[in-house]
Amino acid sequence: MAKSITISDYLINKLYEAGVRHVFGIPGDFVLNFFKKLEESKLKLVNVCDEQGAGYAADAYARVNGLGVVCVTYCVGGLKVANTTAQAYAEESPVVVISGAPGIREREKNPLLHHKVKDFDTQKKIFEQLTVASTVIDDPQTAFEEIDRVLHAVMQHKRPGYIEIPRDMVLEKGISRHRSHVTQVQVDRDALQEAIEESTAMINAAKKPVVIAGVEIQRFGLHDLLLKFIEKTKIPAASTLLGKSVISERHPSFIGVYEGAIGRQDVLQRVESADCLILLGALLTDIDLGLFTARLNQKITIYAASEKVSIRYHQYDGVDLKSFMQALVNADIHLHTNEKPYHAQVTGTFVPKRNTKITVKRLFEKLNTVITDDTVVIADVGDALFGAADLCIHSKTEFLSPAYYASLGFSVPASIGVQMANPALRPLVIVGDGAFQMTGMELTTVVRYKLNPIIVLLNNNGYGTERPILDGSFNDIHSWNYSRIPEISGSGYGFVVETEEEFDDAITKACRQKDSFNIIEVKLDNYDFSPALIRMTSCMAKQVRK
Amino acid sequence: MAKSITISDYLINKLYEAGVRHVFGIPGDFVLNFFKKLEESKLKLVNVCDEQGAGYAADAYARVNGLGVVCVTYCVGGLKVANTTAQAYAEESPVVVISGAPGIREREKNPLLHHKVKDFDTQKKIFEQLTVASTVIDDPQTAFEEIDRVLHAVMQHKRPGYIEIPRDMVLEKGISRHRSHVTQVQVDRDALQEAIEESTAMINAAKKPVVIAGVEIQRFGLHDLLLKFIEKTKIPAASTLLGKSVISERHPSFIGVYEGAIGRQDVLQRVESADCLILLGALLTDIDLGLFTARLNQKITIYAASEKVSIRYHQYDGVDLKSFMQALVNADIHLHTNEKPYHAQVTGTFVPKRNTKITVKRLFEKLNTVITDDTVVIADVGDALFGAADLCIHSKTEFLSPAYYASLGFSVPASIGVQMANPALRPLVIVGDGAFQMTGMELTTVVRYKLNPIIVLLNNNGYGTERPILDGSFNDIHSWNYSRIPEISGSGYGFVVETEEEFDDAITKACRQKDSFNIIEVKLDNYDFSPALIRMTSCMAKQVRK
């Protein structure tokens, strides 16, 4: 029987065992004693400006590290991360939200304690809507089991969980009992065998099969299986936008990001002319399906994801993504050699044209030349994302973006989470002015922790994605002098550029200046959009005007 | 029968009729067509940097104007105002949250549309926890009734409501039917009469009665009744902290803000030596009760608030606050003249000491001399609030603070809401560095709309309120060069001060410079706290260490 320890120590140890090394958050009186425990622990606390920033940073950390933690106070902290937790849920990012709360003994007679909304369980009820598992640690007898239950669910589903610790429970000793066995999902071997036999037959009968790899490859750590499958069979592979970079985009079997009619034509043609579609770990979101312009014929589709495995029009229960992919790798699938290898088309050179205003298109052409093996591209929502779809990412998991939930303001705080998770990576943040104004001042946190992202700020004076859908003064933004933020933060390098030469020069300097962040404000025409954005928004406009 | 109009026009008209002139928000594709309708309407759209700022601004607007509106897109916008809506709920501020959403016709087959969390009703379920009434406008047949129902509940309870408009409903015409009568609360005349008779007897038998007026006096517009009662009876009156400024603090019957052992000793002595307590519109929150150090004897208490009327240990059902106060004003209550009038003790002079570091105490002494009839003091959470408790506010409703829910970051966006609601007021914002870093960049919105608040930023390099409770590196904040924000925003005046003379000089200039905002960073010692904060946090520390 394990020696009895405090509930907070138990939770901290469990997080450490699961690979967590950093906790993002802001203290408050109901969580102060837990912060003190964190400070004294092996975990490193990362203080940010606003809880929203902590939520985004923890989400990015989770995507790179495999598990992230945000720690906040009751309601005034917790409800500020409702949105970032929703994003982690929608995009399958395993984030644990730890919230302080009034002590159980303080709650008697239901007093109006500060930070309370309706009832003491208001915040818990809200997080039930945003997580796969949630608990209030209100009893030392069950505390350890409850912590195990939530952490297990987070790891299993790669979605957020919620642990609320009333402050009088932090130093209580939990009771170590024979633990209830955490339910392990049992694979139905017969179903798996049938699914694999059927898949093998379909793939072997096909002349032009194609793989579409999605974000769950990254979330569930299945890169190696995917690579084995592709290299063994030589079947070409596309990725979704949310799944961008689940395989190195310089791999000879990689054909590009498939986004229906919104993406590149050559990718569309190859995918939509396939006679067998193998979708692995792909969420079928509207953005990944090019706002439903994707033409994926279900009659020829093998679909395997964490929550569903189906072939053509029938489903297999009891088959999980990992088992399916393992079995697929070992199946007797023919070599498909009737196709020439694809080549990353893009790492070319960029020669700036003299006295020429920079455009979105040319900006991304330049960015493609500066990406190295240690670059992680973090794209915020908008043209920062759509334009970035065709950047050539070298390795796995080095492209991060909220490409489904699409919440603005992710990228700058995400760069903090990424560099904490892997200091060897240097973030290249691509962000629009609208998104930047929401969370960009977390650059002061970047300075506090001596990180060094490069921020490319696409300033088109407004919510550019919305202008082609429906324009009005509400899409205008009051411009900041973004390049002067280093004067506020006390460190960093600022640039303002308008021409190709200026941008070329600034990004070159930024790559060299590694002792702090660099922010490059790129002044764009208000109506300069990437071709992808134009295709995207013309679909969106039809919805709005319906 | 009314001519049929679109659902959006109906909602906009109803808001206008209720006195709304401004809507705070940020657009997104699911709410774009409603934004277009707003732009074309008589309401003025106020775009801010982040939805959090819009939520706070709408809350402040509601406190001054009587009704406020924040308009956002689905989930990525809505969930960012979960916290500000919670504050409006807790502190009884009538804010209408309008959210766009995917069209009802787009929801068939439950596709993964961007911004969706679990299900299409996730956001609705969350706002049920944060509002008094909520609706999804999914049927033109019931749209008008549903809008009426939510707006009526907001006005009745002075708490937030939630209206979600799927985008394919915005331009649909609603059906005007015989409306279901909105339930009017009926006053129980007999109960009212008995309550008033009992109250009258208690007050007349008392030698030293005292009134404690709370925030509901402001929210329910009962200032005049309160004043009539006090002036007719000459009973002295204190206010709670959340209710600060419900009566002019220069009124001869005003004795000060009562906060139990945390507040001023003379106020405590007068209140706790009373032989009859008349609590009008006061929420009994922990902060208002000086963290339960308040000694209010229930045996001598008449308690009237919007949700409860009780005398000593018994309750009266069917009696509302307004009817009770009206009847009390007309009751036969003796004149209480055995007390000398109180005088606002504070509007004195301030002579800066030479070469003397400024302290929190001296800073507030100086601020007291610059408050004029058109000053509205907005105090953020922390010493900004506790220190401000003894400022002398001239008129009603000219002190705003989240003194119960206590969410950091309210004050700067609140100044936008206040000046939109009443351009004759000039906000004096008092804010700590921690709170400022959360939402302070909304000063760029201030510039956009040509407003002119004065920001006094108490920079003690951290979460000062928490240091005396439990200190650690987590209470430290990376300092910004706050006074240089005008360089980012393109307008405004910045100051950094450390001494009494510098502060005196800066605030004098700030009062004169009315064409933009002024921000004065006051460099304080990290451990310089107001006496009120020290008393407060020593109570809090006991809770944390329990």
Side-chain angles (χ1 to χ4, degrees), chain B residues 513-531:
Chain B
Q513 292 167 168
K514 295 185 179 173
D515 59 318
S516 191
F517 75 85
N518 288 254
I519 179 167
I520 305 172
E521 177 192 349
V522 186
K523 285 187 180 291
L524 295 164
D525 186 273
N526 289 9
Y527 295 87
D528 172 17
F529 308 122
S530 72

Side-chain angles (χ1 to χ4, degrees), chain A residues 51 76 185 213 240 282 296 371 462 503:
Chain A
E51 282 89 349
V76 297
V185 178
T240 63
L296 300 179
I371 292 173
F503 181 63

Side-chain angles (χ1 to χ4, degrees), chain A residues 190-202 297-305 307-319 324:
Chain A
D190 297 328
L192 176 61
Q193 192 184 337
E194 185 178 308
I196 290 297
E197 282 169 5
E198 191 179 0
S199 300
T200 306
M202 273 176 74
N297 186 349
Q298 197 170 342
K299 282 188 188 163
I300 56 167
T301 296
I302 298 161
Y303 178 84
E307 290 171 4
K308 183 178 167 185
V309 170
S310 65
I311 296 178
R312 296 184 291 161
Y313 291 93
H314 49 276
Q315 284 86 48
Y316 286 91
D317 290 339
V319 181
F324 182 84

Side-chain angles (χ1 to χ4, degrees), chain B residues 256-268:
Chain B
V257 175
Y258 173 69
E259 304 168 86
I262 281 161
R264 260 169 37 206
Q265 272 301 308
D266 58 325
V267 182
L268 176 142

Side-chain angles (χ1 to χ4, degrees), chain B residues 43-83:
Chain B
L43 303 181
K44 185 179 162 74
L45 265 168
V46 182
N47 273 73
V48 298
C49 297
D50 187 37
E51 283 88 349
Q52 176 171 215
Y56 280 138
D59 178 357
Y61 186 91
R63 291 175 194 216
V64 175
N65 180 63
L67 189 64
V69 180
V70 57
C71 184
V72 290
T73 194
Y74 185 59
C75 291
V76 297
L79 296 180
K80 281 194 187 183
V81 299
N83 180 57

